[in-house]
Amino acid sequence: MTEHPPATPDTTDHEPGWAEVDAFLDEAMGLEDQVLRDVREATAAADLPPIEVSAAQARFLALLCRMIGARRVLEFGTLGGYSAASVARALGDDGEVVTLEIDPRHAEVARANFRRAGVADRVEVLVGPASESARALIDTGTEPFDMVFIDADKPGNPGYVELALQLTRPGSVIVVDNVVRHGAVADAGSDDPGVLGSREVLTLLGGHPRLDATALQTVGAKGWDGFAVARVR
């Protein structure tokens, strides 16, 4: 769930690191089956950046969908379709995922992966700037989404949350990825656009009158990062 290289864990030479623990969890709990492994490998073979969510994080999103009984999910940021494929499989045959991707080539790879995962009939990829695609959904009066996963450009996160609020209903869940930035989110003097976007979106989530929210730090195969989760009132 990060766009940066994994940070070096604070361990001694004989202790397992975060990536090794994630690998153990994946194996012990069967978090990534062959279908999702094929999607990940096809994404890498297409030379897309290796920034998709980990197997454990994808399973978390899938479980969250099942916990809230989600039928419709909106995703900001498709990449190769790994997270969308995982979520679509959790929703079942009558579920629907709409995923927004600015890069046409990424969208092409994702569509092939959705066919590979057997979920092409329940995933729609909208190509273009995410804010424009989301606005078009609002303007056409699309049915509210039960969950929104925001994993696109980080400076855009505050605006994406505001758009998500227009595309959800009371009880819907919004998840914002990559909000810790290897700890840089705590640096008030940072001028990094991703850090600034993360700080702004966390302040927005924490003080918004229509949201109950929290944020959690994570460590694992993707390094030190975290996500925010909010429920629409």
Side-chain angles (χ1 to χ4, degrees):
M1 279 188 171
T2 184
E3 293 181 332
H4 300 284
T8 302
D10 183 16
T11 61
T12 62
D13 291 341
H14 67 277
E15 293 177 328
W18 301 333
E20 287 77 13
V21 172
D22 255 12
F24 167 74
L25 295 176
D26 292 353
E27 181 178 359
M29 303 183 72
L31 300 179
E32 185 177 66
D33 62 12
Q34 190 59 51
V35 171
L36 290 177
R37 193 171 297 113
D38 288 346
V39 169
R40 191 186 297 280
E41 291 173 356
T43 300
D47 291 327
L48 269 62
I51 57 175
E52 71 273 0
V53 300
S54 71
Q57 292 159 344
R59 178 65 66 88
F60 169 78
L61 293 172
L63 283 173
L64 184 57
C65 286
R66 291 191 174 108
M67 288 174 182
I68 66 172
R71 188 178 63 82
R72 281 171 52 80
V73 173
L74 176 65
E75 178 182 61
F76 286 76
T78 312
L79 192 64
Y82 186 87
S83 52
S86 181
V87 166
R89 296 172 79 203
L91 297 181
D93 293 341
D94 61 345
E96 180 182 9
V97 177
V98 177
T99 181
L100 315 180
E101 175 55 52
I102 194 171
D103 189 312
R105 184 166 179 274
H106 291 184
E108 180 183 352
V109 172
R111 289 189 179 108
N113 277 332
F114 297 144
R115 292 191 292 272
R116 183 173 286 107
V119 297
D121 60 335
R122 69 191 83 153
V123 183
E124 180 180 11
V125 185
L126 301 182
V127 180
S131 57
E132 294 180 11
S133 297
R135 177 59 61 184
L137 290 171
I138 294 168
D139 291 344
T140 57
T142 191
E143 182 182 348
F145 292 93
D146 305 305
M147 190 179 85
V148 178
F149 179 46
I150 299 175
D151 190 16
D153 62 294
K154 308 315 168 188
N157 279 349
Y160 298 151
V161 168
E162 293 288 7
L163 289 167
L165 282 167
Q166 299 180 66
L167 288 161
T168 49
R169 53 167 180 77
S172 294
V173 171
I174 300 172
V175 179
V176 184
D177 203 5
N178 306 128
V179 297
V180 171
R181 319 298 299 172
H182 297 283
V185 71
D187 181 4
S190 175
D191 60 0
D192 181 276
V195 173
L196 295 175
S198 294
R199 288 175 64 89
E200 185 178 350
V201 79
L202 289 169
T203 300
L204 173 66
L205 292 170
H208 203 289
R210 290 189 56 204
L211 293 171
D212 297 309
T214 190
L216 299 173
Q217 299 183 75
T218 59
V219 295
K222 310 300 289 190
W224 178 21
D225 210 330
F227 62 91
V229 59
R231 181 181 184 274
V232 180
R233 293 177 182 167

